[in-house]
Amino acid sequence: MQLNQQFQEIAEKYKQDNEKFEVYSYVFKYVETDEEFYYYILYKKYQQGKGNMVLSSKRGLIDKQEAVKIAYFFLTHNGTAKAANHVINKNRKRSKEYVEELIELLLKNRHLLKPLQGSIDIVIDILTLQAKNTERINQIYQELLELDQGIHTGTKVLTKELWQKGRNLMKDFDALVYSEVKEVINNIPEAEKIMSYLNERRHFSFIDRFKARKIAGKMEKLYGAEAKQDLLNSLEGFEKDFQGNFFTKTRGELSTDEYVQFIHQMAEYEYKKNLLEICRNP
């Protein structure tokens, strides 16, 4: 994105020693039909972001409070795009086929686990949820990718409506992963009952022991000690603030809606606080 001579001079004026600046490749408008739009300028020193500035196409340099408000739209959309490429991209690569194969094995061999029919139903419900969530995570990833590409390679304009669409998709993702982790953790004891039973050779004939070992091995990857600890670590990570402190007294105590509302409010507060500190607008 190119600045005119006047705006170039304003950006240069607020540059500090050994800094360079870059202008984001898209602009922000509240609505598509607005004549006024906003540039976002990032100041860097040795590739590290050091400050920013927002310029209005009509008014030039705007006051700091308004600049922070506009910068928030730029940075949170940028954060949404990064989340799509990293966190969401990692989650979407979970093997749906692996989960579906385990469901099939449990259904086909549930006669081997006669004392644990209730536990089997619970574990199948969890597996079905995980498979369904993987599909939805892939949809969220694709929608965010298309949204961001449309802005960067198409219109070159981020509107409040597009920004809100991206944030809503992120909220959907946050709700999915948080609720799933809590659901799996709460029901791991049922999976542990099944794995313990499967690992007792005396429960099975010689031929059935091979089937039992196969099912137990697959379940171990999803619900064994290592997987369980990973889930607990994830839940702890979800419920920490930006300083690494827990914002809940007990892990998993918040409802999904409460959790999503809280973390997005917390993120907004932190973003705007940091923006106030680094904004070069007077």
Side-chain angles (χ1 to χ4, degrees):
M1 187 69 64
Q2 292 293 317
L3 297 176
N4 62 31
Q5 184 63 33
Q6 178 192 357
F7 287 1
Q8 186 80 15
E9 289 173 1
I10 293 172
E12 289 282 353
K13 179 182 176 181
Y14 288 86
K15 189 172 68 173
Q16 297 178 1
D17 290 345
N18 298 316
E19 283 187 346
K20 295 181 179 180
F21 68 83
E22 62 182 48
V23 186
Y24 269 29
S25 62
Y26 57 91
V27 298
F28 174 78
K29 288 184 178 184
Y30 280 101
V31 295
E32 184 64 44
T33 54
D34 281 351
E35 292 185 6
E36 184 176 31
F37 56 86
Y38 301 88
Y39 297 100
Y40 183 85
I41 297 164
L42 176 64
Y43 291 94
K44 285 184 174 182
K45 185 174 183 179
Y46 309 126
Q47 299 304 310
Q48 294 291 319
K50 294 296 181 182
N52 60 46
M53 173 181 285
V54 174
L55 296 174
S56 159
S57 62
K58 285 186 171 290
R59 295 173 288 142
L61 196 60
I62 57 179
D63 70 73
K64 180 173 285 192
Q65 290 296 331
E66 185 181 4
V68 166
K69 186 178 178 181
I70 302 297
Y72 176 71
F73 291 111
F74 279 103
L75 287 195
T76 45
H77 172 73
N78 195 38
T80 298
K82 284 183 177 178
N85 284 318
H86 297 287
V87 180
I88 299 177
N89 191 29
K90 179 182 177 182
N91 276 269
R92 79 184 184 89
K93 291 178 179 177
R94 302 188 306 183
S95 176
K96 182 169 169 279
E97 292 74 19
Y98 187 93
V99 170
E100 289 173 337
E101 185 180 345
L102 182 51
I103 291 173
E104 186 179 349
L105 278 171
L106 285 169
L107 288 171
K108 190 182 293 184
N109 296 286
R110 68 184 305 155
H111 64 281
L112 299 177
L113 299 154
K114 288 179 181 178
L116 298 169
Q117 297 302 301
S119 295
I120 291 173
D121 290 337
I122 290 170
V123 169
I124 287 175
D125 284 345
I126 296 172
L127 290 165
T128 302
L129 173 69
Q130 290 178 297
K132 182 181 176 182
N133 284 354
T134 301
E135 282 186 10
R136 178 57 186 146
I137 289 169
N138 270 279
Q139 289 174 353
I140 291 171
Y141 172 78
Q142 290 300 330
E143 288 180 43
L144 282 173
L145 209 62
E146 289 169 12
L147 174 66
D148 191 51
Q149 287 176 346
I151 291 167
H152 278 91
T153 63
T155 64
K156 303 286 186 181
V157 176
L158 170 66
T159 63
K160 189 174 181 180
E161 181 182 1
L162 291 173
W163 171 85
Q164 190 64 64
K165 183 179 179 181
R167 298 314 292 166
N168 287 344
L169 287 166
M170 278 304 304
K171 287 179 180 179
D172 286 352
F173 173 75
D174 291 333
L176 273 181
V177 294
Y178 183 70
S179 60
E180 180 185 304
V181 165
K182 286 206 305 178
E183 186 72 16
V184 175
I185 289 172
N186 289 339
N187 288 290
I188 272 186
E190 303 301 327
E192 289 173 333
K193 288 178 190 176
I194 296 173
M195 289 187 291
S196 176
Y197 190 90
L198 289 167
N199 286 321
E200 287 286 342
R201 292 164 58 91
R202 60 187 175 83
H203 292 144
F204 309 102
S205 67
F206 179 77
I207 295 174
D208 286 341
R209 285 174 193 165
F210 292 99
K211 296 177 184 177
R213 275 207 304 270
K214 182 177 181 180
I215 300 169
K218 283 192 169 292
M219 290 188 68
E220 182 72 24
K221 288 185 178 180
L222 295 178
Y223 310 120
E226 187 176 337
K228 182 179 180 179
Q229 189 57 54
D230 286 344
L231 287 165
L232 291 169
N233 291 343
S234 292
L235 188 58
E236 287 191 354
F238 291 151
E239 297 188 359
K240 286 181 179 178
D241 61 22
F242 288 89
Q243 287 72 45
N245 303 311
F246 289 114
F247 54 78
T248 53
K249 292 179 181 178
T250 307
R251 304 295 75 74
E253 70 180 68
L254 296 178
S255 71
T256 300
D257 287 343
E258 288 173 332
Y259 169 75
V260 171
Q261 182 180 8
F262 183 85
I263 62 167
H264 281 261
Q265 287 177 344
M266 179 176 65
E268 180 176 356
Y269 172 79
E270 290 291 334
Y271 264 116
K272 290 182 176 177
K273 184 182 75 172
N274 292 334
L275 283 168
L276 267 173
E277 294 174 359
I278 66 172
C279 181
R280 302 277 170 91
N281 290 63

